[in-house]
Amino acid sequence: MGRAPCCDKTSVKRGPWSPEEDELLRSYVHNHGTGGNWIALPHKAGLNRCGKSCRLRWLNYLRPDIKHGGYTEQEDWIICSLYNSIGSRWSIIASKLPGRTDNDVKNYWNTKLKKKAIAMHHQQQQEYYHQQQQHSSGGRGRRGAAVVTPRAAAPRSQQCASSMQPSPASASDACSFGAMYPSPSMTLQAAAPVLARYDGTAPAPVPPPRAQQQASALAEFSHAPATAISGTWAGGLPLDDMFLPELLGDSEFPPGGDFFGTGFAPLLLQDRAAASLQELSACYFPNAQAEMWAAADHHLHVKPPPAGLCHSLT
DNA sequence: AAGTCGCTCAACCGCTCCCTG
DNA sequence: CCAGGGAGCGGTTGAGCGACT
């Protein structure tokens, strides 16, 4: 039996907001603030809406500092890098993009950026095969790693065994893009603890409660062996080879592939991108480190997060 | 011009987390 | 310590719109 609904859905208006409703909500929040009680707000503001609906409308649309559309390459890169590192923690990702909301970033990823990344991967596949044909006389895989086919690696159910993502779906996606936007200096380094934990022969662990995940992730981060930072995991499997089948399907998946050559990789050479690497890496372990970082973001309107959770924008 | 298809994104749903009594 | 309730989050849905046939 699920929890009781937050409001009587039959008596409140649903669906698109009218300009009049927007103005009511905007003026009320402007004059009184949210008061920390979204449930009571619609009644006080004279709105026949659910409190959650009001909160969403304000956060995602009516806030004065909201930006819509017009994502820059830099923002693309940040989103992909963070998605790579922390998965679908949209609120954390959005908190690193001033003016962007979690909903907006999520939509942008699902509708555009994901396809862009997949297209890049296919391009890399073609380049890889082309290279393999040219070096067909027993050459090694790229980055000196042994070429291992996905089927030779762990079963799909055992891949992405990292316990960082509580939701199976998001875990799959997060792992799938583990190599989509790798940064030699940041992403692989940040991925090291998870890669070190990954064991293709071991059964997938049951994800512990989130608080426990945070604690253990942070603990492992601080003890991660430097030798794991190599671009391959302990079994010698390139990162691409480990994770991409989750998204693309085995039939589309070639061993190897190199994302460093084209696409967003040149951005890594830019000073701004390089400068952000350190920041981004701090976000790798959601909650614990990302929280500390978000709390230190003075340029964002981020309220100090309560202990133990990374509440990003609100 | 009309119908169909695909895409976008605002909004909803249901869950977890955390606070409070 | 426990239960109830609110806040916040991530996944999903569907209306609206433009492109295409």
Side-chain angles (χ1 to χ4, degrees):
Chain A
M1 181 176 157
R3 54 173 292 126
C6 64
C7 57
D8 182 4
K9 291 187 172 68
T10 60
S11 65
V12 297
K13 186 183 172 189
R14 300 166 69 188
W17 282 62
S18 68
E20 292 76 22
E21 289 176 308
D22 281 348
E23 189 49 42
L24 269 176
L25 179 57
R26 187 185 286 113
S27 63
Y28 181 87
V29 174
H30 182 261
N31 292 329
H32 303 92
T34 66
N37 188 345
W38 284 106
I39 298 298
L41 187 144
H43 178 69
K44 293 178 183 172
L47 284 161
N48 186 28
R49 288 275 184 174
C50 171
K52 288 178 76 168
S53 181
C54 292
R55 175 184 164 272
L56 214 58
R57 184 66 177 172
W58 172 256
L59 293 177
N60 290 333
Y61 200 82
L62 296 178
R63 276 191 309 161
D65 55 345
I66 293 290
K67 281 193 288 185
H68 283 107
Y71 280 81
T72 65
E73 288 253 305
Q74 180 77 7
E75 287 175 310
D76 286 358
W77 183 83
I78 291 173
I79 292 169
C80 289
S81 296
L82 288 176
Y83 189 92
N84 172 8
S85 295
I86 64 175
S88 56
R89 307 296 299 274
W90 302 118
S91 60
I92 295 175
I93 295 173
S95 73
K96 302 300 115 191
L97 301 168
R100 304 296 186 187
T101 70
D102 53 355
N103 209 35
D104 204 28
V105 171
K106 179 173 58 182
N107 282 333
Y108 181 56
W109 169 263
N110 285 330
T111 60
K112 292 176 184 166
L113 214 45
K114 196 173 181 177
K115 294 171 188 170
K116 199 171 174 178
I118 291 173
M120 281 174 54
H121 176 65
H122 280 273
Q123 182 186 341
Q124 294 293 343
Q125 284 181 353
Q126 291 176 356
E127 290 177 8
Y128 171 81
Y129 282 132
H130 185 66
Q131 281 180 358
Q132 288 300 297
Q133 284 175 350
Q134 288 184 336
H135 302 90
S136 57
S137 55
R140 291 166 58 88
R142 62 104 170 76
R143 296 200 289 268
V147 174
V148 181
T149 67
R151 287 172 188 82
R156 174 169 295 222
S157 62
Q158 292 177 9
Q159 292 187 4
C160 300
S162 157
S163 60
M164 295 300 294
Q165 301 300 319
S167 151
S170 63
S172 172
D173 269 2
C175 291
S176 300
F177 280 86
M180 294 308 275
Y181 291 88
S183 143
S185 58
M186 183 277 288
T187 305
L188 300 184
Q189 184 168 1
V194 169
L195 296 176
R197 251 183 298 155
Y198 173 79
D199 179 355
T201 63
V206 176
R210 187 174 292 184
Q212 209 172 321
Q213 291 176 29
Q214 294 162 12
S216 62
L218 193 59
E220 290 188 40
F221 178 72
S222 60
H223 294 100
T227 52
I229 304 168
S230 66
T232 63
W233 69 298
L237 185 63
L239 299 182
D240 306 13
D241 302 350
M242 268 177 59
F243 295 138
L244 286 172
E246 286 288 323
L247 182 76
L248 300 172
D250 287 352
S251 61
E252 298 186 68
F253 180 77
D258 188 344
F259 279 90
F260 294 163
T262 58
F264 287 90
L267 282 172
L268 296 173
L269 302 177
Q270 295 178 4
D271 287 346
R272 285 182 62 201
S276 68
L277 292 178
Q278 213 169 1
E279 273 190 306
L280 292 170
S281 65
C283 218
Y284 176 61
F285 289 102
N287 304 324
Q289 290 216 328
E291 261 184 328
M292 290 186 282
W293 180 37
D297 260 353
H298 301 302
H299 65 287
L300 296 175
H301 301 293
V302 179
K303 81 176 182 185
L309 256 189
C310 185
H311 297 300
S312 53
L313 284 176
T314 57

